[in-house]
Amino acid sequence: AQSVAQPEDQVNVAEGNPLTVKCTYSVSGNPYLFWYVQYPNRGLQFLLKYITGDNLVKGSYGFEAEFNKSQTSFHLKKPSALVSDSALYFCAVKKASKIIFGSGTRLSIRP
Amino acid sequence: EAQVTQNPRYLITVTGKKLTVTCSQNMNHEYMSWYRQDPGLGLRQIYYSMNVEVTDKGDVPEGYKVSRKEKRNFPLILESPSPNQTSLYFCASSLSPGPNLYEQYFGPGTRLTVT
């Protein structure tokens, strides 16, 4: 069955440091993988996607994600964290006509 | 402005009292969906609609109904709400159920409390 797992409920990073939010997937066939972000009191916003091609995909707000087939991972990264990046991040995978979301990781950036 | 709107944003109700949460999008999107968000569980899909008059169950459809009589509207109906339906609800839409499905636009959410 298509699914994603986010092993960390919370990630804490100092401003200016690199950040990584982890995601692993379990799919049959080629995965369609995505990241969404949810700011406080807002709906989710699409960040980036991996469908095919280059394993490093770039998205909004300076985020990027690396698709690693051998490790079945799709980690979200940013070279230098901002306090404004503090939010809830969801990894997701496409399954037929649906999107399956992970449980979410709360990212907290301290000044 | 392109957007998905939901009403009401906050609702407190009692067990068994029927309610409807409205959802409307102004982007002429074919695909619309309802999710509920619960701590530690992420978002779970309740129902989705591929187009007008075409709806299907998601992963947690029990206790909910939907309809899609117009392209822009996709109301969520709770015929007899129960406390386990206390949650944060999101409506979302995307251009089509095909390649653009991943880029869903989400409404601001409706926080429902059933006592």
Side-chain angles (χ1 to χ4, degrees):
Chain A
Q2 321 291 71
S3 68
V4 290
Q6 295 181 245
E8 301 158 317
D9 291 335
Q10 174 124 7
V11 171
N12 299 308
V13 178
E15 187 175 28
N17 283 0
L19 69 87
T20 298
V21 183
K22 296 179 180 178
C23 172
T24 59
Y25 65 88
S26 173
V27 302
S28 54
N30 295 321
Y32 287 14
L33 296 160
F34 322 107
W35 276 101
Y36 281 78
V37 59
Q38 183 181 26
Y39 297 104
N41 300 314
R42 302 285 296 275
L44 277 70
Q45 297 178 32
F46 171 76
L47 266 183
L48 52 80
K49 71 181 185 294
Y50 173 82
I51 304 295
T52 187
D54 195 347
N55 289 344
L56 186 65
V57 294
K58 296 187 182 298
S60 307
Y61 311 121
F63 283 93
E64 57 190 25
E66 185 172 13
F67 172 69
N68 188 317
K69 189 172 184 177
S70 63
Q71 297 185 6
T72 62
S73 66
F74 189 56
H75 300 334
L76 182 69
K77 299 181 180 184
K78 188 173 183 181
S80 179
L82 300 172
V83 172
S84 58
D85 292 330
S86 298
L88 189 55
Y89 290 81
F90 291 96
C91 184
V93 64
K94 182 177 181 292
K95 174 185 176 182
S97 298
K98 301 189 293 185
I99 301 291
I100 307 298
F101 289 88
S103 57
T105 298
R106 187 165 299 282
L107 177 63
S108 178
I109 310 298
R110 60 183 183 275
Chain B
E1 179 190 355
Q3 60 183 349
V4 178
T5 57
Q6 295 177 228
N7 283 292
R9 295 289 312 279
Y10 302 91
L11 179 60
I12 300 174
T13 190
V14 296
T15 299
K17 186 176 181 182
K18 181 180 179 179
L19 66 91
T20 299
V21 183
T22 64
C23 172
S24 182
Q25 50 92 5
N26 62 0
M27 295 168 280
N28 201 36
H29 284 172
E30 291 182 359
Y31 183 96
M32 297 186 74
S33 181
W34 276 103
Y35 297 89
R36 59 177 290 174
Q37 182 179 14
D38 301 289
L41 297 177
L43 274 77
R44 294 179 292 169
Q45 191 176 48
I46 303 170
Y47 270 93
Y48 64 97
S49 170
M50 306 276 269
N51 213 326
V52 176
E53 302 291 1
V54 181
T55 64
D56 208 346
K57 296 178 181 179
D59 297 314
V60 288
E62 295 77 21
Y64 304 94
K65 285 176 57 176
V66 293
S67 68
R68 186 94 181 272
K69 300 186 186 306
E70 306 167 280
K71 200 170 188 177
R72 63 183 294 128
N73 296 324
F74 190 45
L76 179 70
I77 303 159
L78 284 72
E79 294 271 4
S80 183
S82 63
N84 65 11
Q85 292 178 299
T86 292
S87 187
L88 180 58
Y89 292 86
F90 288 100
C91 180
S93 72
S94 70
L95 186 59
S96 74
N100 294 317
L101 173 62
Y102 56 84
E103 192 164 351
Q104 294 192 47
Y105 293 79
F106 281 77
T110 294
R111 186 166 293 281
L112 172 65
T113 301
V114 183
T115 62

